Amino acid sequence: MRNMWVIFKKELFRVLTDKRLVLTVFILPGLSIFLIYSIMGEVIGRQMTEDEIYTHTVYAKNMPESIKHSLEERLTFELMEGEYDKDTLEEMVREEEVELALFFEEDFEDKIEAYQAGSPIPELIVYYNQGHQHSSTAYNQFMGVMNAYHESIIRDRLADPDDYHPYLMTSENFLDERTVAARGIAMLMPMLVIIFLFVGAMSIGPDAIAGEKERGTIASLLVTPTKRRDIALGKVSSIAVLSFLSAISSFAGILLSLPRLMQFGEEMPDMGIYRIVDFVAVFAVLLTTVIFIVSLISIISTYSKTIKEANAMIMPFYFIAMIIGILNSFGAEPNQSLWVHFFPIYAPINALSGILMFEYSVINLVITLLMNLVYSGLMVYALNKMFDSEKVMFTR
Amino acid sequence: MDLEVRNLRKTFNLSRKQRRIEHTDEKRRVAVRGLSFEAKRGEIYGLLGPNGAGKTTTLRCISTLIKPDEGDVFVDGKSVLKDSMGVRKNIAFLTNELKLDDFFTPNYLYDYFSRLHGVDEKTAEKRKKELFKRFGVDKFAEVKVADLSSGMKQKTSIAISLVHDPDFIIFDEPTNGLDVLTAKTVVDYLLELKESGKAIIVSTHILSVVEKLCDKVGIIIDGELKVSGTLQEVKAKDAKQDLENVFFSLVEESGGADRA
């Protein structure tokens, strides 16, 4: 095992003292995620503020005062002066010169009030352009006003206002706020975890093994009195540590960008809802999962002749993991069946969801951890054999 | 105990691409057929042969990088098939297919391989000073391998291959890429190692090096050892006692004058 540590330290030294690798593996992932999410938050926030302060241009013919007042409460707008025909306004709305054009029939409100069954219904024509942001906002706000107006008219027309309510309903929501927060976290985290761990391992693994084959440096290692098991363990453990650090960098990027991303109303996830035992369980799943992913990537890298070939062969596995992660984020409840916990990749994502939503059984968690370790152990054993195979190491 | 190669046979599968390039239908190629020779302690054995004759394959089998299909190699009584770890502990192997990682300095790599060979720090440090000074590596010990010339890399490789002071030294083209002065240093050092009782196998194309260095010579053509014996015995195959003549006549006999 002594040589395993020698190889472990050398691999760590190789990456941690290479400025280029430190930048690309540990700084850029976190930094780029931070920048992308911050910019996203900034843009969304700016757009919302802009909608609030933007003065919309509205043309309104015969608009009742009550509707005008209601609209003023919801939308900043300026009414166009003058008379225009419908064709001109249609053109103006299309060209974004006017955001909303409203044609109320003359005496609109009076006609509604004087309505008798069978009498003509007053007409309202609305021009807007959903393809344009401000026009769409103006229309949505106007519809909000009109829906409320519509409701009040219906209520007034009924003989007894109580008739408006065909039944009385009392709803009591017993939802635990902790569960709401947990659901939000459980939707996002497992998917991100699996993606970041894969990306971290992919940025180091192929270079550490396929790269050594490509550069011809692996043979120098193979002629030393180092057990193939030590080479396999040394490589896997060092890549696992580095991948973990890379994943942490990505998480740091997300956590730092959350305040900017969530500035438009969403609540920041509160990690304080979890107990220490939950964090320990998450850490155990992460640790065994990173070992599994790194073992898988190491096998592929050892089989490949070049870094390029290794990356191409890893890609389908990455996509599979990503798809499982994305499907999980669509809100399915954690699967409690025993048998699903034997499936690599799926089981840890499911287990993470379960832990984060406080819905996991110890036996399922133990199976997930054990299976990750068993699969990793089998792959390290295969790696050991592959390092000893001249066909894999030299003639492939 | 010495180094003994016994009835060594090694074949390789030919890939479709190789078969297409070489216009052949054969699926397997015999690289080495029934090779046997012995390198004793205190002797240098020179392996001569044209390109593709099977020299490197033989050396790779001895160094445990690949396994023979038939036969065996015994290093100090240890079989490469049954005790490859035991063999690796006591051999130095140098060939141009063993590259140094560009990112590291000779200093770092020397320490790294010392640790892998289990050399204690004090001994490793003392030996490093000695070897680095001998081959002039001390002048660029802290320069990354990527920035070294091919000669500097070769000197570093030689020094690193000897970190553990092995009893059996297998060098494939050791003077490759070296200037005349450094080549002489390497040759002199090999002679010193021989004097100190090491068994050395050298593969080279340079006949003058063989004449200066080797006690025994084996000429390998098409995977077969055509002649093996002391330098004098091999030279005696030619009327003029000329090693070059012996070499070329054996190559011609095998119908491959163009490949030497």
Side-chain angles (χ1 to χ4, degrees):
Chain A
M1 293 298 269
R2 181 177 48 84
N3 280 359
M4 182 203 123
W5 289 111
V6 175
I7 294 166
F8 175 84
K9 280 192 268 182
K10 179 239 175 189
E11 293 299 330
L12 251 57
F13 182 83
R14 165 80 180 84
V15 175
L16 297 175
T17 57
D18 185 339
K19 284 177 195 158
R20 186 182 56 86
L21 279 177
V22 168
L23 183 75
T24 54
V25 177
F26 304 116
I27 298 173
L28 273 184
L31 189 67
S32 50
I33 286 170
F34 171 73
L35 288 176
I36 290 167
Y37 280 20
S38 298
I39 291 168
M40 263 170 63
E42 200 62 38
V43 169
I44 296 167
R46 200 173 290 171
Q47 199 172 312
M48 297 194 74
T49 319
E50 200 184 300
D51 272 346
E52 281 166 20
I53 59 165
Y54 179 80
T55 305
H56 298 78
T57 307
V58 176
Y59 174 82
K61 193 177 177 185
N62 304 325
M63 179 156 65
E65 276 303 306
S66 61
I67 295 176
K68 188 184 167 195
H69 288 312
S70 301
L71 188 60
E72 275 168 349
E73 282 169 18
R74 303 179 70 136
L75 186 75
T76 310
F77 68 94
E78 196 174 62
L79 280 176
M80 275 174 75
E81 302 275 335
E83 284 274 327
Y84 297 89
D85 61 36
K86 285 180 183 162
D87 290 344
T88 311
L89 275 161
E90 182 184 327
E91 193 56 31
M92 289 169 97
V93 172
R94 282 185 192 281
E95 296 301 319
E96 283 185 276
E97 289 167 36
V98 176
E99 270 89 27
L100 191 67
L102 309 167
F103 303 92
F104 290 86
E105 197 174 301
E106 210 171 344
D107 303 323
F108 182 82
E109 212 160 23
D110 294 342
K111 283 177 182 168
I112 286 172
E113 274 175 27
Y115 173 80
Q116 295 288 323
S119 63
I121 302 167
E123 198 182 8
L124 164 64
I125 296 165
V126 181
Y127 285 178
Y128 73 106
N129 187 341
Q130 202 177 8
H132 296 140
Q133 186 206 326
H134 294 308
S135 181
S136 181
T137 307
Y139 174 75
N140 289 336
Q141 296 304 328
F142 176 69
M143 285 314 289
V145 171
M146 291 314 287
N147 284 339
Y149 185 70
H150 181 268
E151 229 174 74
S152 70
I153 292 164
I154 299 290
R155 203 180 296 131
D156 290 347
R157 282 184 185 173
L158 293 168
D160 185 344
D162 286 343
D163 291 348
Y164 183 70
H165 302 288
Y167 56 88
L168 278 176
M169 185 175 80
T170 311
S171 305
E172 288 192 41
N173 188 354
F174 299 111
L175 188 70
D176 180 3
E177 277 188 18
R178 200 176 75 133
T179 312
V180 178
R183 196 171 290 272
I185 295 167
M187 262 179 71
L188 193 69
M189 283 297 175
M191 178 185 71
L192 293 177
V193 161
I194 215 77
I195 290 174
F196 291 156
L197 290 182
F198 243 102
V199 170
M202 279 166 71
S203 60
I204 303 158
D207 184 74
I209 304 179
E212 284 228 36
K213 277 177 84 177
E214 195 175 349
R215 295 188 291 270
T217 52
I218 196 88
S220 307
L221 181 61
L222 294 173
V223 291
T224 64
T226 305
K227 285 181 184 158
R228 282 17 184 179
R229 181 200 64 196
D230 288 356
I231 299 177
L233 285 172
K235 292 278 182 188
V236 168
S237 54
S238 55
I239 300 167
V241 168
L242 294 166
S243 306
F244 213 68
L245 291 176
S246 175
I248 287 173
S249 154
S250 303
F251 275 114
I254 285 196
L255 290 177
L256 291 173
S257 61
L258 274 179
R260 281 164 189 265
L261 193 62
M262 302 275 183
Q263 64 179 337
F264 49 90
E266 296 280 338
E267 274 185 33
M268 283 279 289
D270 178 12
M271 292 292 180
I273 57 174
Y274 297 110
R275 301 157 299 167
I276 288 176
V277 69
D278 300 323
F279 284 112
V280 171
V282 166
F283 183 76
V285 174
L286 290 186
L287 193 67
T288 55
T289 307
V290 79
I291 293 171
F292 172 84
I293 292 172
V294 166
S295 303
L296 177 70
I297 285 178
S298 299
I299 288 265
I300 296 169
S301 301
T302 307
Y303 183 74
S304 310
K305 274 187 285 191
T306 61
I307 298 174
K308 203 173 160 186
E309 188 182 312
N311 279 326
M313 288 171 80
I314 291 165
M315 215 37 94
F317 293 94
Y318 174 57
F319 285 136
I320 290 170
M322 211 160 68
I323 289 165
I324 296 173
I326 291 168
L327 289 177
N328 175 77
S329 72
F330 283 126
E333 295 287 320
N335 196 329
Q336 301 293 348
S337 315
L338 194 70
W339 62 274
V340 300
H341 294 86
F342 289 86
F343 284 94
I345 306 284
Y346 178 78
I349 293 177
N350 189 59
L352 283 175
S353 283
I355 298 164
L356 295 170
M357 289 170 75
F358 313 103
E359 290 173 20
Y360 70 97
S361 73
V362 175
I363 183 77
N364 285 348
L365 181 65
V366 169
I367 291 174
T368 303
L369 299 179
L370 275 179
M371 289 325 291
N372 266 346
L373 291 176
V374 167
Y375 291 132
S376 305
L378 289 173
M379 284 192 283
V380 169
Y381 179 75
L383 260 185
N384 176 16
K385 293 285 170 200
M386 287 170 87
F387 279 126
D388 215 18
S389 158
E390 65 184 66
K391 193 179 172 195
V392 174
M393 300 313 292
F394 299 110
T395 56
R396 231 193 73 67
Chain B
M1 298 286 257
D2 305 309
L3 191 155
E4 189 193 350
V5 176
R6 201 185 288 168
N7 293 322
L8 195 73
R9 183 183 166 85
K10 182 70 187 173
T11 53
F12 291 111
N13 287 330
L14 285 183
S15 65
R16 266 188 212 167
K17 194 178 168 187
Q18 283 171 309
R19 279 183 296 198
R20 205 170 50 239
I21 292 167
E22 297 180 24
H23 303 288
T24 177
D25 290 329
E26 59 174 355
K27 291 189 174 171
R28 285 186 79 78
R29 170 156 300 166
V30 182
V32 176
R33 49 188 97 211
L35 213 72
S36 295
F37 65 88
E38 203 177 345
K40 291 186 181 298
R41 286 172 190 268
E43 275 183 7
I44 298 182
Y45 189 96
L47 208 52
L48 273 173
N51 289 336
K55 300 186 302 287
T56 303
T57 302
T58 306
L59 298 186
R60 287 168 81 183
C61 285
I62 299 171
S63 67
T64 76
L65 270 182
I66 57 174
K67 291 185 183 87
D69 296 338
E70 287 171 29
D72 204 343
V73 179
F74 295 92
V75 178
D76 209 17
K78 293 181 179 96
S79 153
V80 291
L81 290 172
K82 290 175 188 156
D83 186 9
S84 54
M85 282 293 280
V87 171
R88 286 181 203 130
K89 279 180 189 162
N90 210 10
I91 58 161
F93 183 46
L94 178 83
T95 171
N96 61 4
E97 85 179 306
L98 263 62
K99 299 277 184 345
L100 300 172
D101 198 326
D102 275 354
F103 178 78
F104 297 103
T105 63
N107 204 14
Y108 183 92
L109 286 171
Y110 187 95
D111 292 343
Y112 172 62
F113 283 101
S114 285
R115 285 185 206 112
L116 289 177
H117 278 283
V119 182
D120 69 85
E121 266 185 48
K122 209 173 158 188
T123 313
E125 201 56 38
K126 191 180 159 212
R127 206 166 153 67
K128 181 163 73 177
K129 266 187 195 163
E130 195 185 299
L131 285 168
F132 274 23
K133 195 169 176 206
R134 182 82 188 225
F135 296 106
V137 180
D138 50 353
K139 294 183 192 103
F140 50 84
E142 291 302 339
V143 178
K144 281 191 176 177
V145 170
D147 300 323
L148 300 180
S149 69
S150 57
M152 289 166 164
K153 285 179 188 169
Q154 180 76 343
K155 290 180 209 176
T156 309
S157 293
I158 292 171
I160 287 174
S161 71
L162 297 165
V163 287
H164 52 308
D165 195 15
D167 290 332
F168 298 89
I169 292 154
I170 300 129
F171 278 4
D172 189 7
E173 305 285 357
T175 53
N176 239 6
L178 297 178
D179 59 72
V180 187
L181 286 174
T182 321
K184 186 180 178 312
T185 311
V186 173
V187 168
D188 290 347
Y189 190 66
L190 286 173
L191 286 169
E192 257 179 57
L193 291 172
K194 179 185 95 165
E195 292 306 318
S196 66
K198 315 270 185 196
I200 300 164
I201 297 176
V202 174
S203 142
T204 179
H205 285 104
I206 308 164
L207 296 176
S208 61
V209 170
V210 176
E211 295 214 47
K212 189 170 180 191
L213 263 181
C214 301
D215 303 288
K216 283 184 184 166
V217 177
I219 298 177
I220 180 171
I221 296 166
D222 275 343
E224 272 182 75
L225 199 60
K226 296 289 180 185
V227 63
S228 180
T230 63
L231 187 59
Q232 288 69 32
E233 283 168 356
V234 173
K235 282 164 89 173
K237 305 266 176 196
D238 178 60
K240 291 180 184 170
Q241 299 267 313
D242 188 84
L243 183 62
E244 198 174 35
N245 285 346
V246 177
F247 180 73
F248 282 118
S249 64
L250 283 170
V251 172
E252 270 173 37
E253 271 172 34
S254 303
D258 53 326
R259 53 182 168 185

